[in-house]
Amino acid sequence: MELEAASHWHYTSKGARVFVDNLPGFPNPARVDAEIKEFFKGFEIVAISKIIRPRIADANSLPHHTIGYYLFVDLISKDEADRAVRTLNCRRSWNRVIKVAFPTDSHSWKIEERDRYLGLNPPPLPKGADW
């Protein structure tokens, strides 16, 4: 059962959200959902976030296959999230080692909110950047 974003914020506070890192750049949101559902096969997923491209200064100069994208997956319970971390962390998929962990504060905030909270002024994006 997938829910709208605003209705599932409580999954973070109850420990049922996991951070999934080092993903390839899938071509579209439908493919992201299909691939993540397959990766989490056997787990009860509530929601999958959009995939996020990391903000690194030289991302445009790196080959596409070396950039590790990330996202968040909300599971039905903390026990289910614990099992997912134990089972899926460091699993090899898509020719990569995928990290599955509980999010830290730095993972779960929007970049702009985190930077504002920390008093940072992020540099402007390069002209034409899609991230």
Side-chain angles (χ1 to χ4, degrees):
M1 172 175 116
E2 293 184 31
L3 305 171
E4 293 297 318
S7 65
H8 67 84
W9 285 112
H10 70 279
Y11 287 92
T12 300
S13 64
K14 74 178 197 174
R17 175 171 285 176
V18 296
F19 171 71
V20 185
D21 193 15
N22 201 29
L23 296 167
F26 297 112
N28 58 56
R31 179 78 180 271
V32 171
D33 283 353
E35 295 285 348
I36 295 302
K37 285 176 183 175
E38 181 63 28
F39 186 74
F40 278 82
K41 192 173 186 174
F43 294 90
E44 194 169 346
I45 296 173
V46 175
I48 300 168
S49 77
K50 70 177 186 173
I51 196 163
I52 302 164
R53 181 178 180 174
R55 288 181 62 172
I56 53 177
D58 57 351
N60 288 327
S61 65
L62 294 172
H64 185 264
H65 67 277
T66 63
I67 298 172
Y69 294 74
Y70 64 95
L71 53 71
F72 299 91
V73 175
D74 291 340
L75 297 159
I76 195 68
S77 68
K78 181 171 182 356
D79 289 342
E80 190 80 338
D82 287 336
R83 188 170 70 88
V85 170
R86 284 192 319 272
T87 306
L88 301 175
N89 188 38
C90 295
R91 180 175 281 182
R92 190 156 183 81
S93 193
W94 307 290
N95 295 315
R96 299 163 173 258
V97 175
I98 305 302
K99 176 183 177 180
V100 178
F102 289 103
T104 65
D105 286 343
S106 64
H107 292 143
S108 58
W109 291 10
K110 291 180 184 174
I111 292 169
E112 298 82 8
E113 290 171 353
R114 183 177 62 240
D115 289 347
R116 190 170 44 250
Y117 176 78
L118 296 174
L120 302 175
N121 293 321
L125 295 176
K127 187 172 186 170
D130 63 344
W131 46 278

